[in-house]
Amino acid sequence: MVKENIFAFFLGCLMPNRYPAIEKATMYVMEKLGYTLLDMERATCCPAPGVFRSFNKVDWMVAGARNLCIAERLDADVITVCNGCFGTLQEINKHLKENEEHRELVNEKLKLLGDYEFKGIIDVKHIMSVLGYEVGPWGIEDAIIRKVNARAAVHYGCHFLKPTRIREIESSEGPTIVEEFIEALGVESVRFKEQLTCCGAGGGVKAYSGDVSMTIFGEKMKNIDDVKPDFILDICPFCHLQFETGQDHLNKNEDCNYGYPVIHISQLVAYCMGMDQEFVGLQYQLMGRDYIFGGQEIKKEGEVL
């Protein structure tokens, strides 16, 4: 039986290697909200849906199922902060639960890797779906000690909502889960042209062709720059990487002057819940300008609103 308020924390590859502040912020937020995060010892790459699945779908499922088996042993649903990891693990979990033939095939291959057997007894969740639906904007109010008076360009990314029939979160055509949640934190979401398009990093595009990736990203940044937000808010470390390094690339090679801070949802929530910005990773130097994340204190930690 799956334990309540306990998650197996799937780190993925990018976050622990490039963005430990997102990992730290996620742990801070979930623990403050009363959740327990368990280590998934010996977990591997998810593996990435846009690359591995394209070459060998069976082995992609086997590798993903092995990670799911680790969480099953912990009797805990998986939680991840990455759209790609979420897409892989959620899709494999759902497919193997529904397809007996593939489940048997995968389990036969899992035996070669050790004492693993996919049973289909857990679910896979994204940090944003937990915050947006389980905690909700109605539930986060009591947990925050300061609000942010700022405008954000929200980037959903591709794999969080698509394909809709598999993710079963909400429509990918007009999602509101992020906007409704951050409103409770004092953040206004500013709409921009083609807001729901890819950032140019996923699907193997960035690895295959940097030029194509930057062409897609350049259009994205032009549309964001048109509305002049205070920062860019994402829900995925890979998108996060694209927005951070991509701005530098465009500035050096396309005669641009972008300097938008890039913030993951976990960092934003952690800050509003009281985590010091130095530890949550909200001190940036972009284009030589220090950006200090400002907030309006609404109560001291421990006080009741």
Side-chain angles (χ1 to χ4, degrees):
M1 184 176 179
V2 176
K3 302 168 185 173
E4 293 185 3
N5 295 330
I6 297 179
F7 286 112
F9 190 18
F10 187 78
L11 303 180
C13 301
L14 196 58
M15 178 178 65
N17 287 297
R18 294 291 293 264
Y19 298 114
I22 296 177
E23 180 182 346
K24 186 179 182 71
T26 302
M27 295 177 68
Y28 180 90
V29 168
M30 297 306 290
E31 290 171 4
K32 281 274 191 177
L33 291 173
Y35 293 91
T36 298
L37 299 183
L38 303 177
D39 291 334
M40 292 181 63
E41 296 184 9
R42 300 187 68 190
T44 62
C45 177
C46 57
V51 180
F52 289 87
R53 182 174 54 187
S54 302
F55 287 96
N56 191 315
K57 190 170 183 178
V58 173
D59 286 348
W60 171 74
M61 289 193 294
V62 172
R66 180 187 169 278
N67 287 320
L68 294 168
C69 289
I70 293 173
E72 288 185 341
R73 289 175 179 175
L74 297 171
D75 295 322
D77 290 338
V78 171
I79 191 170
T80 179
V81 304
C82 174
N83 290 3
C85 297
F86 174 63
T88 281
L89 297 178
Q90 192 261 2
E91 186 167 337
I92 292 173
N93 193 49
K94 180 178 174 63
H95 180 73
L96 294 183
K97 283 182 178 182
E98 298 173 351
N99 191 305
E100 183 178 359
E101 180 183 353
H102 284 178
R103 183 169 66 249
E104 291 177 353
L105 173 62
V106 166
N107 276 330
E108 282 298 314
K109 289 181 174 290
L110 282 174
K111 291 178 182 178
L112 303 176
L113 301 177
D115 186 24
Y116 296 102
E117 179 186 4
F118 175 84
K119 299 176 181 177
I121 59 174
I122 64 168
D123 291 322
V124 178
K125 299 182 180 182
H126 191 288
I127 182 69
M128 191 62 243
S129 63
V130 173
L131 290 174
Y133 292 144
E134 294 188 19
V135 177
W138 56 87
I140 198 65
E141 288 280 1
D142 290 340
I144 61 177
I145 67 170
R146 55 192 169 209
K147 291 189 176 183
V148 178
N149 182 22
R151 301 162 68 252
V154 173
H155 176 70
Y156 275 85
C158 299
H159 297 289
F160 176 60
L161 297 171
K162 303 172 185 176
T164 302
R165 70 182 186 282
I166 295 176
R167 299 293 177 266
E168 297 179 334
I169 297 177
E170 64 176 338
S171 171
S172 61
E173 299 302 317
T176 60
I177 180 174
V178 177
E179 288 85 351
E180 291 176 358
F181 184 80
I182 64 174
E183 185 177 356
L185 306 178
V187 180
E188 175 191 356
S189 171
V190 288
R191 296 285 182 178
F192 56 93
K193 183 180 178 182
E194 298 181 350
Q195 182 169 349
L196 298 175
T197 57
C198 178
C199 66
V205 176
K206 190 176 182 69
Y208 176 74
S209 175
D211 290 342
V212 172
S213 176
M214 283 298 103
T215 297
I216 297 171
F217 179 70
E219 184 67 22
K220 189 88 178 180
M221 282 306 306
K222 178 180 178 299
N223 293 334
I224 288 176
D225 193 48
D226 284 343
V227 298
K228 298 292 188 295
D230 294 310
F231 63 92
I232 297 167
L233 181 70
D234 62 66
I235 61 174
C236 173
F238 199 31
C239 298
H240 197 93
L241 178 69
Q242 180 79 330
F243 277 105
E244 280 202 330
T245 61
Q247 288 186 74
D248 288 339
H249 178 88
L250 293 177
N251 291 341
K252 293 175 182 177
N253 297 280
E254 301 293 338
D255 194 28
C256 297
N257 189 34
Y258 297 132
Y260 292 104
V262 186
I263 299 171
H264 186 276
I265 186 66
S266 291
Q267 294 174 292
L268 174 64
V269 180
Y271 176 77
C272 290
M273 292 178 72
M275 193 175 193
D276 188 277
Q277 63 179 5
E278 180 180 354
F279 296 105
V280 80
L282 292 178
Q283 286 178 305
Y284 288 80
Q285 265 194 320
L286 291 175
M287 295 299 295
R289 292 174 293 177
D290 288 328
Y291 179 86
I292 307 300
F293 204 59
Q296 175 188 1
E297 189 172 278
I298 57 176
K299 67 174 180 177
K300 297 293 184 182
E301 192 166 3
E303 290 181 351
V304 178
L305 280 175

